Amino acid sequence: MLDWENLFKRYVWDDRTTPYLIPVNRLKRQQADYEILAYSVFIGILFGVVSITALTDVGPQGRSPNMSLYALSVTFASVIFGYAKNYNAALYLSASPLAGLAYLVFYGLRSDHHLFDTLLAALVLILLLWYSRRIITIARCYSTLREGDDQDTPKRRLFKR
């Protein structure tokens, strides 16, 4: 018989690999690395797709090289942040939901779009903007975070060599 509770904890909610509810001052460096990686991959893929689609005529704005260039710069910033944990890259990434909200104001509130879709996209962008505060705090405190992982007990450290 499957142990659903342990499978859920292991793959969906684990304090070591998915520490989203742990306060930043209690995070360990490995936990912050997992959180930064997840955020960087999410933002990088999202804006990578935006960068490619902005060069087509599919969007309501038509072909937009400027939008594509901005989305590409956000994709590169997510790679830099994921690799180097750079504070300035985190600040740049935190502004990307504002750009998405500006896009919705100028192009998303048209009559040929469903209002529900626009409001759902706006809600996701607002939540992403709210979460960006945490990412900035993690980037600011990253160098002071403690080493180690939650699985390290004194007994396990004794046998690690």
Side-chain angles (χ1 to χ4, degrees), residues 2-13:
L2 288 174
D3 186 11
W4 290 104
E5 182 180 349
N6 283 337
L7 286 174
F8 180 81
K9 283 183 176 179
R10 183 175 176 191
Y11 293 108
V12 178
W13 198 265

Side-chain angles (χ1 to χ4, degrees), residues 9 27 33-34 41 44-45 47 71 82 92 97 108 126 133 147 153:
K9 283 183 176 179
L27 278 179
D33 287 339
Y34 282 123
V41 167
I45 289 174
F47 278 87
Y92 190 74
I126 289 170
R133 292 183 357 196
E147 291 288 336
T153 61

Side-chain angles (χ1 to χ4, degrees), residues 7-22 27 30-36 38 131 134 150:
L7 286 174
F8 180 81
K9 283 183 176 179
R10 183 175 176 191
Y11 293 108
V12 178
W13 198 265
D14 180 18
D15 283 343
R16 189 173 52 85
T17 57
T18 52
Y20 303 109
L21 295 179
I22 297 175
L27 278 179
Q30 184 183 24
Q31 293 172 315
D33 287 339
Y34 282 123
E35 195 163 346
I36 288 170
Y131 181 70
R134 177 176 169 90
D150 287 338

Side-chain angles (χ1 to χ4, degrees), residues 2-3 12 19 23 28 35 40 50-51 66 75-76 84 91 100 104 113-114 116 124 133 142 148 150:
L2 288 174
D3 186 11
V12 178
K28 294 187 180 176
E35 195 163 346
S40 296
V50 168
S51 176
N66 292 335
T75 303
F76 286 145
L91 287 176
L104 284 179
H113 285 124
H114 294 287
F116 178 75
V124 168
R133 292 183 357 196
Y142 185 79
D150 287 338

Side-chain angles (χ1 to χ4, degrees), residues 59-61 67 97-109 113 125:
Q61 78 284 350
M67 184 184 297
L98 291 174
L101 288 170
Y103 174 83
L104 284 179
V105 167
F106 291 116
Y107 296 110
L109 299 175
H113 285 124
L125 289 169

Side-chain angles (χ1 to χ4, degrees), residues 22-94:
I22 297 175
V24 174
N25 60 357
R26 289 188 30 226
L27 278 179
K28 294 187 180 176
R29 189 166 293 186
Q30 184 183 24
Q31 293 172 315
D33 287 339
Y34 282 123
E35 195 163 346
I36 288 170
L37 177 67
Y39 180 78
S40 296
V41 167
F42 178 74
I43 294 291
I45 289 174
L46 178 68
F47 278 87
V49 169
V50 168
S51 176
I52 292 169
T53 56
L55 292 176
T56 65
D57 294 327
V58 177
Q61 78 284 350
R63 178 175 246 195
S64 178
N66 292 335
M67 184 184 297
S68 178
L69 185 63
Y70 173 73
L72 188 64
S73 72
V74 171
T75 303
F76 286 145
S78 71
V79 170
I80 291 168
F81 181 58
Y83 181 72
K85 282 70 169 175
N86 186 299
Y87 178 70
N88 292 328
L91 287 176
Y92 190 74
L93 289 175
S94 69

